Amino acid sequence: MPSAVHNISAVEVITAKRDGGRLSDEQIDWVVSAYTHGDVADEQMASLAMAILLNGMDAEEIARWTQAMIDSGDVLSLGAVGRPLVDKHSTGGVGDKITLPLAPLVAACGAAVPQLSGRGLGHTGGTLDKLESIPGWRASLSLDEIAAQLSDVGAVVCATTPTLAPADRKLYALRDVTGTVESIPLIASSIMSKKIAEGTGGLVLDVKVGSGAFMKTRERARELAETMVRIGSAHGLPTTALLTDMSVPLGRAVGNALEVAESVEVLRGGGPADVVELTVVLAREMLALAGITDLDPAEVLSSGAAYPVWERMIAAQGGDPSAPLPRATHVEPVLAERSGVLTGCDAIAVGVAAWRLGAGRARKEDTVQAAAGVLLLARPGDEVEAGQPLLELHTDTPDAMPGARAALADGLVISDEPAARGPLLVDTIRP
Ligand code: URA
């Protein structure tokens, strides 16, 4: 296998980073391209990813790494859709169904949202998995279909194409099995390379912080957000990042079809206050980047005007928006052990419970259950009575119930007094 080109070799790149040095532009371009083409072996790239995780990369290295990943594939050209393009990316959380009401809302206000998504892994659900619970809906679209839907409807949520940042596809799978996911330079370049290659004109990042998030502390979340905003600036992509709370699940529904049903409530002008608040905050930032300042997304959402856009968005991808959603064959309550105020409903505990019930996958090849998940009947701050149902567990595989209950064992806290809760919007980071 040719693992050296000109005067660069994989071992030299690995040892430079292992010893705390910085990688040159040529080294970065070469190693990303050679890995994509199979000329750098998985074990060499795994070693380099670990060296990057341990020793970091500076801002210039990260910008160049991102560019090399973009250059590994195609850059979509969606400029002809006739509306300003703007997208959002969430780092993933429990009950985070915000894309579902947000994309039609922003489209209803006049922008176009090209949301090319991946699938969920672990305790955070994937947007495509949620939408696939709608009968007939399909995730895979051709580039022509994406462009046509953006012009006609203004919003597309679909599977990313194999030609978009293929270096990231290969590297992310490798990081997943080599303990190298949690590197801020690698996460930031992975996310931003895909969004820049997608051809959006503006980007709003929802960086989650808390137990149910990738980033457990505010410091790490801020560092990731700042790194991504800096990459956006270096590549001429106007980018705003919001840090938002993920210590409790968003809304009441966690699980694919359950979250679609809750999103429809929001699109019809109702739904849980936190889901509405976050949808509106993100829409406001997206519309500002798109230059649309004459509409209040809160009014558009509460009027129900985004719902017909949702119907068209789903129908354009073969889905039947009026078809009944799948329902689980087994539903069991989780009861309050005492009376008091529910002060804790830990996002990671609920996320793992939903995952064990079948809503998420442990490996990429796994299938998910459309109807599995957790419904929160009580929310933090609610007064509860002993024996009252706090949650509902939904699954088609009743053997999964004990595992889900075990995940929740320390996740629900009932106290004598209410506890103060932090805000949903923790911070905003602009270029
Ligand atoms: N999501 C991505 O797309 N890439 C990462 O590296 C982590 C989360």
Side-chain angles (χ1 to χ4, degrees), residues 89-91 168 172 175 181 183 186-188 190-191 194 214:
H89 176 84
S90 160
T91 56
D168 176 65
Y172 195 17
R175 287 166 54 215
V181 168
S183 151
L186 292 179
I187 298 171
S190 164
I191 293 172
K194 286 175 284 201
F214 219 24

Side-chain angles (χ1 to χ4, degrees), residues 346 348-354 356 401-412:
D346 187 26
I348 185 72
V350 176
V352 171
R356 289 187 180 169
M401 288 289 186
R405 287 184 184 278
L408 290 162
D410 300 321
L412 298 171

